[in-house]
Amino acid sequence: MGRLIRGLSKNARFFVADTTDVVQDALDIHKYDEYSMKTFGKFCTLSAIMGATLKGEDKLTIRTDTDGYIKNIVVNSNAEGDIKGYLINTSEENFEGLGKGTMRIIKDMGLKEPYVAITNVDYSSLPDDISAYFYNSEQIPTIISLACEDTNDGKILCAGAFMVQLLPGADEDFITKLERKAEAIRPMNELMKGGMSLEQIINLLYDDMDTADNSLVEEYEILEEKELKYNCDCNSDRFQRGIMTLGKEELKHIFEEEKEIEAECQFCGKKYKFTENDFEDILKK
């Protein structure tokens, strides 16, 4: 299980997450190459962090469309801490990373239409791209650090993130100190490899560098702690409804040629098989 802490202070809100187990579970399913897994792991972590802002049955999707080695990434999360996703590589081994393209943030909040925001992405500076999204689409100044590293034997060594976002009307003094801290603090991967807990990382983010007595820039409170997990909610009924959209004639043709239809979930790899009997009522009409 992964772990996420969400909290608040007078001038900012923060999110800190350890997604090592989540990304390991994803790697065990997808078997991606090292580069793809590191990139995918960071997007799983980003999805977990952003999913912590959701409520009730709201859902979040992050989708990239880029021209590099990785063509598409799709990651879903919800308010319960469930995460799932997959990626599509190009046929050429062009290790330009994601390359350039777009990232869509889609929030399904139970309205007639989901909220969709589009931002440019260039993997040479993914945190900057994410900060730009928050600033341009949601008018929230944001500092974020994402981590995903593996071991020599292909296991996930550490994965996680911290994110601090200014609240409206934040004091100039706090903003100045936060900017200095952003330049001075080590990346998330180094903090995790150094053995720091999520609580220690939060304390470090609020540590006042101008004092020598371990005082804080301002007091903060932890609002929520939750478990994170890689969890796919696919089921047979959902795939059966999708196959029904092929129509009567196409279904007849498939069953005459193949005798059965096999569908595989892109998120978890689970396979579902359907025979003509599963669609008997439709085919009779």
Side-chain angles (χ1 to χ4, degrees):
M1 290 286 185
R3 183 167 172 251
L4 180 142
I5 298 177
R6 175 175 67 91
L8 186 72
S9 66
K10 176 185 175 183
N11 288 287
R13 64 177 183 175
F14 59 85
F15 306 83
V16 184
D18 181 341
T19 56
T20 305
D21 290 344
V22 175
V23 179
Q24 183 64 61
D25 288 344
L27 175 59
D28 292 342
I29 291 171
H30 292 297
K31 312 296 184 185
Y32 293 140
D33 62 74
E34 179 181 5
Y35 176 80
S36 297
M37 196 62 227
K38 286 182 179 180
T39 306
F40 183 66
K42 289 179 179 179
F43 274 91
C44 285
T45 303
L46 174 61
S47 180
I49 289 279
M50 296 184 70
T53 67
L54 302 175
K55 298 178 181 179
E57 297 183 357
D58 295 353
K59 296 180 181 180
L60 173 84
T61 298
I62 301 174
R63 179 186 177 93
T64 66
D65 296 279
T66 52
D67 61 3
Y69 174 62
I70 298 174
K71 183 178 180 181
N72 302 114
I73 295 176
V74 178
V75 185
N76 298 146
S77 62
N78 59 28
E80 300 300 317
D82 296 319
I83 303 154
K84 65 178 182 179
Y86 64 89
L87 63 77
I88 299 173
N89 288 348
T90 59
S91 57
E92 298 178 359
E93 292 191 2
N94 170 25
F95 283 93
E96 290 289 332
L98 287 176
K100 295 183 179 181
T102 59
M103 177 171 64
R104 288 175 170 81
I105 310 295
I106 305 165
K107 295 181 181 180
D108 184 350
M109 297 176 284
L111 304 175
K112 289 184 178 180
E113 297 292 335
Y115 166 83
V116 181
I118 302 176
T119 187
N120 292 328
V121 63
D122 177 356
Y123 192 66
S124 62
S125 184
L126 182 58
D128 289 344
D129 294 331
I130 297 165
S131 295
Y133 157 75
F134 278 113
Y135 188 78
N136 295 326
S137 298
E138 301 188 17
Q139 292 73 56
I140 304 176
T142 300
I143 294 172
I144 186 169
S145 178
L146 295 162
C148 186
E149 289 196 21
D150 62 353
T151 62
N152 292 332
D153 59 356
K155 297 296 184 180
I156 300 301
L157 175 64
C158 67
F162 66 74
M163 182 170 77
V164 181
Q165 296 185 310
L166 291 177
L167 297 176
D171 296 339
E172 288 297 328
D173 182 57
F174 180 86
I175 295 173
T176 299
K177 290 186 176 183
L178 181 61
E179 289 174 343
R180 289 179 56 206
K181 179 57 67 70
E183 295 177 355
I185 195 170
R186 293 181 179 179
M188 185 65 176
N189 63 326
E190 293 187 20
L191 299 179
M192 295 184 76
K193 288 191 294 184
M196 294 190 73
S197 67
L198 297 187
E199 288 82 1
Q200 289 173 320
I201 292 172
I202 294 169
N203 206 69
L204 178 63
L205 291 171
Y206 277 89
D207 176 60
D208 191 342
M209 295 190 300
D210 295 330
T211 65
D213 59 357
N214 296 322
S215 61
L216 302 177
V217 174
E218 63 185 33
E219 295 296 323
Y220 61 84
E221 62 175 320
I222 292 175
L223 301 178
E224 178 187 29
E225 295 186 43
K226 69 168 62 175
E227 291 183 342
L228 304 172
K229 56 188 178 299
Y230 193 94
N231 182 43
C232 183
D233 58 351
C234 68
N235 57 59
S236 179
D237 289 343
R238 185 175 301 173
F239 276 93
Q240 188 170 355
R241 289 195 300 270
I243 293 171
M244 285 166 57
T245 63
L246 294 173
K248 177 182 175 180
E249 295 305 319
E250 181 64 20
L251 285 172
K252 280 186 174 181
H253 175 72
I254 292 174
F255 287 125
E256 287 173 358
E257 296 290 328
E258 305 294 337
K259 306 305 179 184
E260 67 178 17
I261 297 175
E262 181 177 274
E264 180 176 348
C265 178
Q266 289 181 290
F267 293 99
C268 68
K270 188 174 182 179
K271 296 180 179 180
Y272 298 90
K273 292 185 178 182
F274 303 95
T275 66
E276 190 172 358
N277 291 335
D278 295 310
F279 300 92
E280 185 176 2
D281 291 339
I282 297 174
L283 297 174
K284 285 181 179 177
K285 294 180 181 178

